[in-house]
Amino acid sequence: LNPKEHREKITHKMFEMFDVSAVLVQCQAVLSLYASGRSTGIVLDCGEIFCHSVPIIEGQCVPHAIVRVNLGGKQLTTELSKMLARRNDTSDISPQHEELTEMKETLCYVSCNYDRELERAQHSPLLTRSFALRSTSDHRLVT
């Protein structure tokens, strides 16, 4: 996913500035798949700005089959902020970005079956969680 010119520049600097004897530049998705003990599979790489679906066959990335979606953690945090604003009609609750990110990383997850999760949420109080907002003077709980 890194342009060839960038890889060449990094390699050149490693040899010239740091006097390394060898350099291996590898696709991050391939290394992630190797870490799971596999050499063939699909890696979903989700970042702050976008997500990539990267197919790998026998340790080789398939560049023409990589799919990029312009959705990432930043957009999810923004959506969480909007959801909280709609749910809490009071304007005195305005969590900071770092606090929203912490809330997202602590409480949110990806559902394998969205419709089933919605149904469970309507009938089960076990899915309700609370989060204490440090940005409010009374450390208000958001449920």
Side-chain angles (χ1 to χ4, degrees):
L1 300 178
N2 205 356
K4 184 177 180 181
E5 300 82 36
H6 292 176
R7 295 190 307 263
E8 288 174 352
K9 187 183 265 188
I10 290 169
T11 303
H12 179 74
K13 286 190 182 218
M14 293 299 286
F15 284 121
E16 297 297 323
M17 293 176 68
F18 300 107
D19 199 30
V20 298
S21 59
V23 173
L24 171 67
V25 179
Q26 184 61 276
C27 174
Q28 181 180 350
V30 172
L31 297 175
S32 296
L33 195 62
Y34 283 162
S36 71
R38 296 177 175 87
S39 62
T40 298
I42 297 177
V43 175
L44 182 61
D45 181 11
C46 295
E48 184 70 10
I49 306 297
F50 45 76
C51 296
H52 286 105
S53 172
V54 184
I56 299 163
I57 299 173
E58 295 300 324
Q60 296 296 312
C61 180
V62 185
H64 66 275
I66 295 172
V67 176
R68 174 181 163 162
V69 177
N70 291 325
L71 175 68
K74 188 174 184 178
Q75 291 89 345
L76 294 175
T77 302
T78 301
E79 187 60 29
L80 178 59
S81 176
K82 291 175 185 176
M83 289 170 64
L84 286 172
R86 284 193 303 265
R87 186 164 185 205
N88 299 307
D89 294 329
T90 58
S91 61
D92 62 332
I93 297 178
S94 58
Q96 301 299 315
H97 181 77
E98 295 82 18
E99 201 167 32
L100 287 167
T101 300
E102 182 183 350
M103 181 187 295
K104 174 188 69 180
E105 292 173 355
T106 304
L107 301 177
C108 299
Y109 61 95
V110 176
S111 171
C112 293
N113 187 329
Y114 180 72
D115 294 327
R116 185 172 58 201
E117 288 290 323
L118 283 179
E119 187 177 315
R120 282 182 56 208
Q122 292 174 352
H123 298 98
S124 175
L126 297 175
L127 296 177
T128 302
R129 302 284 189 265
S130 296
F131 188 87
L133 296 175
R134 294 182 307 276
S135 61
T136 59
S137 58
D138 58 354
H139 298 288
R140 187 170 301 182
L141 284 177
V142 175
T143 303

